Amino acid sequence: MSGAPGGEWNGWLAALGTLLVLALPPALLAACRGTPPARLAGLSLTGTLGTVILLLAARGFGRDGYGDLGVVLAVLGPVGVLVFTRFLGGPLVDGTAPAPDTKGRG
């Protein structure tokens, strides 16, 4: 990996800074405010941006560990969004509520 081990500023770090300043705050705002579907979209976008930020940091700083974290977040991020969708979701599209899970309850 080519990076900046001596602390030099490069294009990877410029892209990283741009995403941190311009893209992450609106995604976090969308994840914290609005309707539940808008918050879910903000959560998904925040996970994607986090992955890209970690991968850019890995290239910019020349550290493989950040890239590993980015790959793990890329795999687990959509799973987390699906879990929130399933457990925090409201009525289904056709207007009916999901059936309660009663398996294993006495």
Side-chain angles (χ1 to χ4, degrees), residues 29-105:
L29 185 65
C32 294
R33 300 181 63 179
T35 63
R39 290 188 303 227
L40 188 63
L43 175 67
S44 179
L45 180 60
T46 303
T48 303
L49 285 172
T51 299
V52 173
I53 286 170
L54 284 170
L55 292 175
L56 287 172
R59 293 293 295 191
F61 293 123
R63 310 259 329 233
D64 292 335
Y66 297 143
D68 295 341
L69 287 175
V71 170
V72 169
L73 183 59
V75 172
L76 295 180
V79 173
V81 170
L82 290 175
V83 168
F84 279 118
T85 303
R86 170 67 177 101
F87 290 114
L88 299 179
L92 298 176
V93 174
D94 63 357
T96 61
D101 185 19
T102 58
K103 293 181 183 177
R105 296 182 184 165

Side-chain angles (χ1 to χ4, degrees), residues 15-30 42 45-46 48-50 52-53:
L16 170 68
T18 303
L19 280 180
L20 282 174
V21 171
L22 297 178
L24 196 58
L28 287 173
L29 185 65
L45 180 60
T46 303
T48 303
L49 285 172
V52 173
I53 286 170

